[in-house]
Amino acid sequence: MRAPSLGSWRLIGMVHVGPLPGAPHFDGDLDSTLAGALLDARRLADAGFDALMMENFGDAPFFADDVPKVTVAAMTRVATAIREAVDLPLGINVLRNDALAAVAVAAASGALFIRVNVLAGTMSTDQGPITGRPAEVARLRAAVHPTLQVLADVFVKHAVPPPGLTLSQAARDLWERGGADGIVASGSGTGHPVDFDRLHEIRKVVPDAPLFVGSGVDAATVAELLEICSGVIVGTSVKEAGLTTAPVDPERAAALVKAAG
């Protein structure tokens, strides 16, 4: 049985959390990292976004699929603080692909959904080959957070699929066999726009699946994308000067919400 519907989260705003303890660029001040995440969360909420998603973007270079315990603890602290400060649904993405950690953080913090870059199958990434663990994710979710929603990327960015695997087959497997509650399509990298033909292909093979765009969304494209998709996940284009690592720009965020209608 699937968890409840993803609902009407048309606009999901990204909170790119700065370096956490243990990461190469962590400066020893977790309170400062937390303050930055809360600032972004509040600005996205004030602009009118429907939901938030946070990820440990500042921890690069990333572990492939098993982050240190200190990362799980720090992510939980940040997630809990955001949940207490902003009354919006919250999602968790533990980069690069620690879906089990994401489930744990969500269960401890009360987050409602997670994003998994490689839920099923194998992708070649800048962290090496990553293989999804859908059976383990499904069982942990059932045990600790049964209503948790799982958004799964198909042909995720910064990665290459194995030879012979088609986009249609990968999307169908995620929806019918992998335990995904929604599918995310993205461009080739962070901030890169998605191919509209790719969206139409996914929609054709899994017409009932909630479909989200996971990169490259801006005020110029958001309305057209929402004619095809259930929702969009927005980060880079609403940041100051369009820089992924910069704080959220309130004017850019408000402009995107207005453009979405």
Side-chain angles (χ1 to χ4, degrees):
M1 179 181 297
R2 292 193 183 278
S5 169
L6 287 167
S8 57
W9 303 340
R10 297 171 70 241
L11 301 177
I12 301 175
M14 279 302 309
V15 176
H16 293 109
V17 181
L20 296 169
H25 301 292
F26 179 61
D27 62 4
D29 189 354
L30 180 56
D31 287 339
S32 177
T33 300
L34 178 58
L38 289 174
L39 176 65
D40 282 353
R42 290 189 176 106
R43 286 181 173 180
L44 291 165
D46 290 344
F49 278 76
D50 302 309
L52 304 174
M53 182 179 297
M54 56 168 278
E55 66 182 19
N56 52 321
F57 191 82
D59 283 354
F62 305 114
F63 291 92
D65 58 7
D66 187 13
V67 301
K69 292 180 177 61
V70 66
T71 302
V72 180
M75 287 282 284
T76 302
R77 178 178 174 187
V78 176
T80 302
I82 291 175
R83 288 264 295 122
E84 291 174 348
V86 179
D87 188 22
L88 287 179
L90 178 64
I92 309 293
N93 187 15
V94 180
L95 300 171
R96 171 68 150 117
N97 198 65
D98 197 339
L100 299 178
V103 173
V105 172
S109 65
L112 298 185
F113 63 105
I114 64 172
R115 180 177 180 178
V116 185
N117 295 161
V118 184
L119 177 62
T122 299
M123 295 287 286
S124 296
T125 77
D126 48 327
Q127 291 77 35
I130 293 180
T131 299
R133 302 162 70 178
E136 293 172 66
V137 173
R139 284 158 177 77
L140 181 61
R141 171 171 68 166
V144 302
H145 198 342
T147 60
L148 183 70
Q149 303 286 284
V150 177
L151 293 181
D153 282 84
V154 58
F155 283 15
V156 68
K157 57 192 174 184
H158 300 291
V160 178
L165 179 64
T166 67
L167 177 65
S168 295
Q169 186 62 57
R172 189 178 291 112
D173 284 346
L174 280 174
W175 181 243
E176 297 177 356
R177 296 162 58 86
D181 298 296
I183 293 176
V184 180
S186 62
S188 59
T190 301
H192 294 191
V194 67
D195 187 326
F196 274 77
D197 289 340
R198 175 176 289 197
L199 296 178
H200 286 296
E201 182 177 350
I202 298 169
R203 178 56 78 204
K204 181 178 179 179
V205 297
V206 286
D208 297 329
L211 176 60
F212 292 79
V213 174
S215 72
V217 180
D218 59 25
T221 60
V222 63
E224 185 177 6
L225 289 168
L226 287 172
E227 292 179 0
I228 306 170
C229 303
S230 310
V232 294
I233 302 169
V234 186
T236 300
S237 72
V238 297
K239 298 298 191 69
E240 294 177 359
L243 299 176
T244 308
T245 55
V248 168
D249 183 326
E251 292 185 2
R252 282 175 173 255
L256 186 135
V257 173
K258 181 179 180 180

